[in-house]
């Protein structure tokens, strides 16, 4: 089988011109040819900001760009028909579709309700700093533009645990709704901020059985409509694992197969929390390797002062490789976004070699790293910045190396602070497969590595073109490979280069 590779086909600042679904339909075959096996699509549902919405300010799960709601029929990415056409093109190209599902919250309620709440300390949500009192909250969702098509379920304050705005006083604060489902917030894994159930907007109450059943009905409809092959679950850090388990089991039962699920539990530098979440969900789902991303960003900023022998320390791919989705960047970590932590440009080719060409992990490539991006926005300091993200050098060749060469036994040479390497011996199923990879964050380097006796006598060249010499594999299956300073080289059998 071909090595799997995901493409995150969007970024936060993709133009709001309704073109994404059409672009994806036109490029599906090309993307498959590059080596992608799955496409992660942005949230396709109508958000509170209508045609401007990235998709995470979710308003109506049942509106895929079909109804005139929030001042727009289409979403930022296009219409429902264009969405379904793009999915069909992905499937026709032999790739899988992973849909982005936002269950944590809803935004843009249609009407206010008088709701009894208690104000909480925003830095310790387990501390109530008021007695119960009434506020006006936008917790009534009737979706007048949809007029009950697909679902007649109306959301009201019984469906939420908390809100952050009182329309009566125009005050922004965190309010815990007094309801019949429990005293305060739902149970979550992390004790950050005391309890981090509440994240934003109207926080969904999963202890309400009617809510859970509505979300399962929606999942059934969505699956039957699109035939998706996997799900990316947003903000699982802030949701009850019990509900996630229930919903995932229900959907897999419906599909009759163990389709792919990856959760966004963003905990950079904190592997223990990811492992705790995996235990709470009994290994039902993969997680993005936020700790590894944190290490890659740190390494890119430290340069030669970073010890490459520890690049995979405290990473999910090093601990639970079968559940690790590895990334070099995403829409939250890109410049000017909430979790801004971009890997420096010089290090990106090295970082992609580290996630694409090794045996462990399920790599996910970020849209601007393939296409580039330009945008302007306000920074955390209030200043306005013009951002230009360049295409990662050699990215298509690195993808081809994963598709064609990175197979078979892996031998590691993670033995030098500034120069590490590994080899993949290749296998019989992939003609010409096998490669040797060398990474340097310091000076020009070299390393004698074993790639296997099956390659004895063969001539290897750097498929990236960074080095021009040739390496002959000796009778023991070894060769001495080189790499430029602050660079990466991927050595392959010359006839297949």
């Amino acid at each position: 089988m071909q090595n799997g590779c995901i493409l995150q086909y969007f970024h936060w600042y993709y133009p709001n011109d309704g073109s994404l679904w059409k672009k994806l339909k036109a490029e599906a075959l090309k993307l498959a040819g590059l080596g992608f096996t799955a496409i992660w699509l942005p949230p396709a549902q109508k958000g509170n900001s209508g045609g401007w919405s990235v998709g995470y300010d979710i308003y109506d799960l049942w509106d895929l760009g079909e109804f005139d709601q929030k001042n727009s029929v289409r979403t930022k990415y296009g219409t429902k028909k264009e969405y379904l056409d793009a999915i069909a093109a992905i499937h026709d190209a032999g790739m899988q579709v992973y849909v982005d599902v936002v269950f944590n919250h809803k935004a843009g309620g249609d009407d206010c309700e008088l709701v009894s709440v208690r104000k909480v300390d925003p830095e310790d949500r387990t501390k109530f700093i008021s007695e119960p009192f009434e506020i006006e909250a936008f917790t009534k969702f009737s979706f007048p533009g949809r007029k009950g098509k697909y679902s007649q379920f109306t959301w009201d304050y019984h469906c939420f645990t908390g809100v952050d705005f009182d329309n009566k006083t125009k005050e922004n604060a965190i309010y815990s709704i007094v309801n019949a489902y429990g005293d305060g917030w739902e149970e979550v894994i992390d004790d950050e901020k005391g309890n981090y159930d509440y994240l934003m907007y109207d926080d969904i109450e999963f202890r309400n059985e009617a809510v859970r059943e509505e979300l399962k009905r929606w999942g059934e409809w969505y699956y039957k409509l699109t035939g998706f092959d996997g799900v990316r679950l947003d903000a699982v850090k802030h949701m009850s694992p019990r509900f996630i388990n229930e919903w995932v089991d229900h959907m897999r039962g419906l599909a009759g197969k163990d389709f792919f699920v990856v959760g966004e539990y963003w905990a950079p530098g904190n592997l223990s929390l990811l492992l705790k979440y995996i235990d709470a969900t009994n290994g039902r789902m993969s997680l993005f390797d936020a700790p590894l991303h944190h290490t890659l960003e740190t390494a890119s900023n430290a340069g030669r002062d970073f010890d490459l022998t520890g690049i995979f320390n405290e990473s999910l791919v090093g601990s639970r490789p079968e559940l690790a989705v590895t990334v070099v960047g995403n829409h939250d970590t890109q410049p000017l976004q909430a979790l801004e932590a971009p890997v420096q440009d010089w290090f990106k080719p090295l970082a992609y070699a580290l996630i694409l060409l090794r045996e462990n992990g399920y790599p996910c490539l970020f849209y601007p790293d393939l296409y580039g991006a330009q945008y302007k926005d306000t920074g955390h300091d209030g200043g306005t910045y013009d951002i230009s993200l360049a295409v990662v050098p050699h990215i298509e060749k690195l993808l081809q190396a994963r598709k064609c060469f990175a197979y078979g036994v892996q031998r590691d040479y993670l033995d030098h602070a500034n120069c590490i390497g590994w080899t993949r011996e290749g296998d019989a199923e992939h003609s010409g497969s096998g490669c040797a990879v060398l990474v340097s964050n310091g000076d020009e380097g070299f390393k004698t590595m074993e790639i296997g006796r099956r390659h004895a006598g063969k001539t290897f060249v750097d498929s990236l073109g960074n080095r021009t010499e040739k390496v002959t594999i000796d009778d023991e299956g070894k060769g001495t490979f080189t790499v430029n300073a602050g660079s990466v080289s991927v050595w392959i059998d010359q006839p297949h280069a």
Side-chain angles (χ1 to χ4, degrees):
M1 291 180 61
Q2 180 183 326
N3 282 326
C5 186
I6 309 167
L7 173 60
Q8 179 182 350
Y9 200 80
F10 67 102
H11 67 101
W12 197 268
Y13 298 96
Y14 186 85
N16 62 313
D17 56 5
S19 67
L20 188 72
W21 303 145
K22 290 180 286 191
K23 176 180 170 67
L24 178 52
K25 177 183 176 182
E27 296 195 342
L29 281 172
K30 175 187 174 183
L31 295 173
L34 288 176
F36 294 107
T37 57
I39 307 296
W40 162 18
L41 304 178
Q45 293 74 29
K46 189 68 58 67
N48 181 42
S49 34
W52 293 82
S53 172
V54 176
Y56 296 103
D57 58 340
I58 190 74
Y59 167 66
D60 187 359
L61 284 167
W62 301 85
D63 184 357
L64 301 175
E66 181 180 5
F67 304 99
D68 189 356
Q69 300 190 109
K70 300 301 178 182
N71 301 310
S72 177
V73 173
R74 68 161 175 85
T75 67
K76 175 178 182 176
Y77 310 111
T79 66
K80 177 183 178 181
K81 181 182 184 306
E82 290 163 348
Y83 178 56
L84 297 178
D85 287 347
I87 288 174
I90 295 169
H91 283 151
D92 288 346
M95 298 183 292
Q96 294 188 324
V97 171
Y98 297 163
V99 296
D100 204 321
V101 173
V102 184
F103 276 158
N104 179 71
H105 51 265
K106 295 184 79 66
D110 299 301
D111 294 292
C112 279
E113 298 179 292
L114 283 176
V115 180
S116 180
V117 300
R118 289 183 293 177
K119 191 183 295 187
V120 303
D121 181 340
E123 296 306 314
D124 184 353
R125 280 82 179 281
T126 63
K127 293 182 178 178
F128 297 100
I129 56 177
S130 80
E131 294 299 315
F133 67 103
E134 281 193 338
I135 65 169
E136 285 185 2
F138 281 97
T139 48
K140 190 71 172 290
F141 291 77
S142 54
F143 314 109
R146 182 158 51 80
K147 298 181 173 63
K149 188 175 182 180
Y150 306 129
S151 171
Q152 297 183 356
F153 188 84
T154 296
W155 296 70
D156 61 20
Y157 73 90
H158 298 289
C159 302
F160 303 105
T161 63
V163 295
D164 62 0
F165 179 68
D166 177 7
N167 191 54
K168 184 190 299 185
T169 64
K170 311 302 181 186
E171 180 186 32
N172 291 103
I174 299 178
Y175 305 99
S176 172
I177 293 175
V178 178
N179 63 30
Y181 301 105
D183 184 18
W185 309 109
E186 294 188 67
E187 183 180 348
V188 292
I189 293 299
D190 195 359
D191 61 1
E192 185 179 354
K193 297 187 184 295
N195 177 297
Y196 217 167
D197 176 17
Y198 186 83
L199 176 64
M200 61 177 71
Y201 302 120
D202 294 5
D203 188 77
I204 290 180
E205 173 62 90
F206 298 108
R207 293 170 294 195
N208 183 335
E209 183 179 2
V211 166
R212 298 199 307 274
E213 292 305 309
E214 169 70 358
L215 296 179
K216 285 190 279 189
R217 280 193 300 270
W218 171 80
E220 293 178 17
W221 169 81
Y222 196 28
Y223 177 74
K224 291 174 183 176
L225 177 69
T226 63
F228 61 73
D229 308 283
V231 173
R232 183 261 186 189
L233 292 173
D234 182 60
V236 297
K237 178 178 182 177
H238 308 279
M239 290 188 283
S240 162
R242 284 176 291 183
F243 164 71
I244 296 297
N245 292 345
E246 179 181 336
W247 190 84
V248 168
D249 287 351
H250 177 79
M251 293 303 300
R252 284 177 171 156
L254 172 75
K257 61 181 180 181
D258 188 21
F259 67 75
F260 180 73
V261 180
V262 59
E264 181 220 11
Y265 196 116
W266 204 254
N270 203 333
L271 174 64
S272 63
L273 282 176
L274 271 61
L275 297 178
K276 192 174 179 181
Y277 188 83
I278 286 170
D279 287 343
T281 51
N282 296 309
R284 281 176 172 83
M285 56 197 288
S286 298
L287 296 176
F288 291 104
D289 196 344
L292 177 61
H293 173 268
H294 174 73
T295 301
L296 295 174
E297 186 233 353
T298 299
S300 77
N301 287 311
R304 66 183 303 127
D305 293 330
F306 184 87
D307 184 350
L308 288 176
T309 63
I311 194 74
F312 295 110
N313 289 354
E314 294 299 307
S315 67
L316 187 61
V317 74
S319 180
R320 293 295 301 270
E322 77 283 6
L323 296 178
V325 174
T326 50
V327 298
V328 175
N330 67 27
H331 59 289
D332 286 323
T333 67
Q334 71 182 104
L336 306 184
Q337 270 309 293
L339 302 174
E340 178 177 358
V343 172
Q344 297 299 314
D345 286 351
W346 76 273
F347 196 77
K348 283 183 180 178
L350 288 67
Y352 272 113
L354 288 163
I355 73 169
L356 288 172
L357 303 182
R358 295 177 58 79
E359 61 184 343
N360 288 335
Y362 189 7
C364 179
L365 190 142
F366 186 34
Y367 182 100
D369 292 339
L370 183 65
Y371 291 98
Q374 290 187 317
Y375 56 90
K376 180 186 294 187
D377 200 1
T378 303
H380 303 298
D381 59 1
T384 300
Y385 294 89
D386 286 298
I387 302 297
S388 180
L389 301 180
V391 174
V392 172
H394 309 301
I395 191 62
E396 293 192 9
K397 290 180 179 178
L398 288 166
L399 287 166
Q400 284 294 297
R402 177 172 179 79
K403 178 183 178 182
C404 300
F405 306 114
Y407 297 95
V409 173
Q410 178 173 296
R411 297 177 177 89
D412 281 339
Y413 296 83
L414 311 182
D415 54 4
H416 189 284
N418 299 119
C419 184
I420 59 172
W422 64 93
T423 64
R424 303 294 301 276
E425 186 165 331
D427 60 25
E429 185 182 350
H430 301 90
S431 176
S433 60
C435 61
V437 184
L438 214 55
V439 170
S440 168
N441 69 353
D443 298 332
E444 178 181 10
F446 68 92
K447 203 175 290 290
T448 299
M449 301 189 291
E450 181 182 355
I451 193 169
R453 292 180 184 271
R454 62 185 290 172
H455 298 288
K458 293 181 181 178
T459 299
F460 273 53
V461 296
D462 180 6
S463 65
L464 306 186
N466 290 330
R467 301 292 296 190
T468 58
E469 69 268 36
K470 298 177 181 180
V471 175
T472 300
I473 308 303
D474 67 20
D475 291 342
E476 295 182 346
K478 297 179 180 179
T480 299
F481 305 95
T482 56
V483 63
N484 291 337
S487 184
V488 57
S489 286
V490 181
W491 296 86
I492 64 172
D493 188 7
Q494 184 176 19
H496 300 277

